[in-house]
Each structure stands twice: as C-alpha cells, then as structure tokens.
Amino acid sequence: MSEKEEFTEEVEELKDLETEAEEKAEAVSEIEKLTTERDQFEDQFLRARAEIANITNRNRNEREQLQKYRSQDLAKKLLSSIDNLERALQTEVQDEQGASLKKGVEMVLEGLLAALKEEGVEEIPAAKGDAYDPNVHHGVQIVPATEDLPADTIVEVFQKGYRLHDRVLRPSMVIVAQ
Amino acid sequence: MSEKEEFTEEVEELKDLETEAEEKAEAVSEIEKLTTERDQFEDQFLRARAEIANITNRNRNEREQLQKYRSQDLAKKLLSSIDNLERALQTEVQDEQGASLKKGVEMVLEGLLAALKEEGVEEIPAAKGDAYDPNVHHGVQIVPATEDLPADTIVEVFQKGYRLHDRVLRPSMVIVAQ
C-alpha cells in the first residue's frame, strides 16, 4: 500500500467515524424527543382515565339526586289541592248527596296522600307543644311563653308542612311561644 | 510514527468505530421501543378522549330523559284521583253546603289538571266520531259500524286517557265501531 493509499483509507475511516457520530447524535436527539412525547401521551392518558372515573361518579350522583327528588315540582303544586280538599272536608253536610260528595273528597284526599307518600312526601310533624324547629317550621306569629307552652314551643299549627325525603317542600306555618 | 504505532492507532480507531456501531444499534432499538410506547399511549389517550365524549353525551341524554319523564310515576298515580273528582262532580247537590263542597271539588280538579299540564301531562283527544288510534285508545268493546259511525271510529269514551309528552300514561278506554 502506498503512503497515499494509506492516507486515503485513514480519511475514509475518519469520515465513517464522523458519520457514525452524527448519526448517533441524531439518534440521541430522537430518543429525547420520543421520550418527551411518550411521557406526554402517558400523562394525558392517565388524566383522561381519571376524568372518566370522575365523570362517571358525578353522573351517578346526579342521576340518583334527580331520581330521588324527581317528584319535587309536581308534589309542591299538589299541596294547595290537599289544603283545598282538607278545607272542603270541614264543610258540614245535611243530606245524602252532600255525604256522598264528602265521601268522594275523602277518597281523593287519601289517594293523593298515598301517591305522595310513595314518592317520599310526608307531612312535617308539628303539633301544639312540640319543639319549634326553624329548619322545618315557619313562625308566622309570636305569643308570650307560658308554663304549659314555654319559649320555642309550637302554640298552634296554621298550615301543615310537607317534605320530600330530607327536603322541605313547604314548612309548617306555626304560632310559636317566646 | 513507527509502523507499530500506526497499527495501534488504526486498531483504536476501528474499536471506536465498533463501539459507535454498537451504540447506534442500541439507539435504533431504543427508538423502536419508544416509538411503540408513544404510539400505544397516544392511542389509549385518543380512545379515552372519545370515551369521555361518549359518556358526556350519553349522560346528557339520560338526564334529559329523566327530567322530561320525571313526573311519570306520580302523575300516573294521580289519574284515579282525577277520575274520583270527576265522578264526585256528577253528584246532584240540593243545598248550599253541597254546592260549596262541589265548588271546592271543582277547584281541586282544576288545580290538579293545571299542575299536571305544567309537567307535560295532557288528556288524550278522544270523542265520539274521532278516528280510533290503537296507539292511544284502548277498545274495550266493539259495536257494528253505521253510516254515521263507520269502521274504526270511536262510538263512546268510557274513561279519559292521559299522556306525558309523547308517552301514554293511560290510554282512552273507548267503544269502537267495526
């Protein structure tokens, strides 16, 4: 091998070395880029999976609440019908037709209250002497407390109150001692 | 430089070249692995995102349906009360108390129908001479068709039917000509 040939060969080898080094640098940069991308997608995937769990739980709760309180609006609107039926039942009737009509009104009232009860609507307990609870009773008048009816007890119930499960549809309207 | 030195140098360079080649092969395999992982996470992320969109849409529809038909059960239970009130209103009253009671019943009936209407409940149209529609009318009896009441027309309505939006709560009970 001539000196020139040797030199040429050495230059070729060095060029190869340079190419390899360049390619290696490119590979390192590609690895860095891919690692970043992979980590980003993994992070986005994990966040999305967490969001799915959150959405699913939130929706289940919302559905349960909607189901539990679904009758709220209609039930609220029925309360005045119940008041009217109870008022009608106060009427003193004289003849058979009146008695038959009253019997019909009683049946309707029972039917309404039964339907409401099945949906979770119940009368709020309130009677003379009961403790006044501002969460479910609404004081419309205050009278001085006595020995029998001390402060914060119910003296009289003006209008029945109703609740749907734990929600007050309408508070009991009461006179309260103070 | 001696011949031995030259030789040694060349070997060193070739060793370097070999190391570079090995490192490059490792890098290529690392790039393949990372690309696969990145593509998998990207795919999982895109699927999760699509699932989020599906869940969100499905839940919105479910909520809308729950909201739209929320009064279905309570409304259904009220229909017999409405029948009873209408029956009570057929009673002939003789005196003032009876008239007052009847007035009360009328008010309750109006109140119930108004409350139901607000929730989307309406009477199913059905009258003598109307076309019989098996989707909303229930034939309880069949009578021969006449010139005035040809086949598939309603001859008489036994009991009113009601629907909640597009859902039949109770079909109209009718006599139909055939």
Side-chain angles (χ1 to χ4, degrees):
Chain A
M1 205 181 271
S2 73
E3 206 169 312
K4 195 186 164 191
E5 273 172 351
E6 265 179 37
F7 180 74
T8 307
E9 200 172 273
E10 198 165 333
V11 164
E12 284 299 318
E13 273 170 16
L14 282 168
K15 272 191 183 161
D16 280 354
L17 213 59
E18 200 178 60
T19 308
E20 287 289 328
E22 269 169 20
E23 281 177 9
K24 197 183 146 190
E26 270 169 31
V28 166
S29 131
E30 179 72 8
I31 284 169
E32 275 170 12
K33 178 175 152 281
L34 282 168
T35 303
T36 305
E37 285 178 4
R38 183 202 58 184
D39 290 352
Q40 277 174 350
F41 280 127
E42 183 178 20
D43 184 58
Q44 286 179 310
F45 164 59
L46 292 175
R47 280 168 195 271
R49 209 167 58 173
E51 201 182 331
I52 287 173
N54 286 336
I55 293 176
T56 304
N57 284 331
R58 198 163 57 233
N59 281 311
R60 190 174 43 239
N61 288 340
E62 277 177 11
R63 257 200 312 277
E64 281 171 6
Q65 291 292 302
L66 273 175
Q67 191 64 13
K68 188 174 178 185
Y69 299 111
R70 62 185 180 158
S71 298
Q72 182 169 314
D73 286 6
L74 181 51
K76 227 170 184 167
K77 288 171 195 157
L78 297 180
L79 298 184
S80 62
S81 296
I82 287 172
D83 295 340
N84 285 332
L85 288 169
E86 288 180 336
R87 207 171 297 124
L89 285 179
Q90 305 293 319
T91 314
E92 293 289 337
V93 290
Q94 316 287 347
D95 55 8
E96 214 178 297
Q97 283 89 344
S100 150
L101 198 50
K102 207 167 165 174
K103 184 74 203 151
V105 169
E106 263 170 32
M107 272 179 61
V108 171
L109 180 59
E110 279 168 21
L112 282 188
L113 291 174
L116 286 170
K117 193 172 181 173
E118 279 177 47
E119 291 295 304
V121 176
E122 287 196 315
E123 195 185 324
I124 292 169
K128 186 177 176 177
D130 282 359
Y132 168 72
D133 176 357
N135 294 313
V136 293
H137 303 137
H138 181 67
V140 288
Q141 204 183 317
I142 289 167
V143 295
T146 61
E147 204 173 319
D148 284 351
L149 296 164
D152 289 329
T153 53
I154 292 170
V155 176
E156 199 186 315
V157 179
F158 261 158
Q159 190 185 47
K160 288 179 182 176
Y162 294 89
R163 66 179 163 211
L164 171 60
H165 302 297
D166 50 337
R167 278 192 198 164
V168 173
L169 290 180
R170 181 176 83 183
S172 315
M173 301 297 176
V174 299
I175 301 180
V176 60
Q178 206 167 48
Chain B
M1 204 183 271
S2 72
E3 206 170 313
K4 193 186 164 189
E5 274 171 349
E6 266 179 39
F7 180 73
T8 306
E9 201 171 276
E10 197 165 333
V11 164
E12 285 299 317
E13 273 170 16
L14 283 168
K15 272 191 182 161
D16 280 353
L17 212 60
E18 198 177 62
T19 309
E20 288 289 327
E22 269 169 19
E23 282 177 10
K24 199 184 144 191
E26 269 170 32
V28 166
S29 130
E30 178 74 6
I31 284 170
E32 276 170 13
K33 178 174 154 278
L34 283 169
T35 303
T36 304
E37 285 177 4
R38 183 202 59 183
D39 291 352
Q40 277 174 350
F41 280 127
E42 183 178 18
D43 183 58
Q44 285 178 311
F45 165 58
L46 292 175
R47 280 169 195 271
R49 208 166 60 172
E51 198 181 334
I52 288 173
N54 286 335
I55 292 176
T56 304
N57 285 331
R58 198 164 55 234
N59 281 309
R60 189 174 45 239
N61 287 341
E62 278 178 11
R63 257 199 314 276
E64 280 171 6
Q65 291 293 302
L66 273 175
Q67 191 65 14
K68 187 173 179 187
Y69 300 110
R70 61 185 180 158
S71 299
Q72 182 169 313
D73 286 5
L74 182 50
K76 227 170 182 166
K77 289 170 195 156
L78 296 180
L79 298 185
S80 62
S81 295
I82 287 172
D83 295 340
N84 285 332
L85 288 169
E86 288 180 337
R87 207 170 296 125
L89 284 179
Q90 306 293 320
T91 315
E92 292 290 336
V93 290
Q94 317 286 348
D95 56 8
E96 214 178 298
Q97 284 91 341
S100 150
L101 198 50
K102 207 167 165 176
K103 182 77 202 149
V105 170
E106 262 170 34
M107 274 179 60
V108 170
L109 180 59
E110 278 168 23
L112 282 188
L113 291 174
L116 286 171
K117 193 173 181 173
E118 279 178 47
E119 291 295 305
V121 177
E122 289 195 315
E123 195 185 323
I124 292 169
K128 187 177 173 177
D130 282 358
Y132 168 73
D133 177 356
N135 294 310
V136 294
H137 303 137
H138 181 67
V140 289
Q141 206 182 316
I142 289 167
V143 294
T146 62
E147 204 173 320
D148 285 350
L149 296 164
D152 290 325
T153 54
I154 292 170
V155 175
E156 197 187 318
V157 179
F158 260 159
Q159 192 185 45
K160 288 179 181 176
Y162 293 90
R163 66 179 163 212
L164 171 59
H165 302 298
D166 50 337
R167 277 191 200 166
V168 173
L169 291 180
R170 181 176 84 183
S172 316
M173 301 297 177
V174 299
I175 301 180
V176 61
Q178 207 168 48

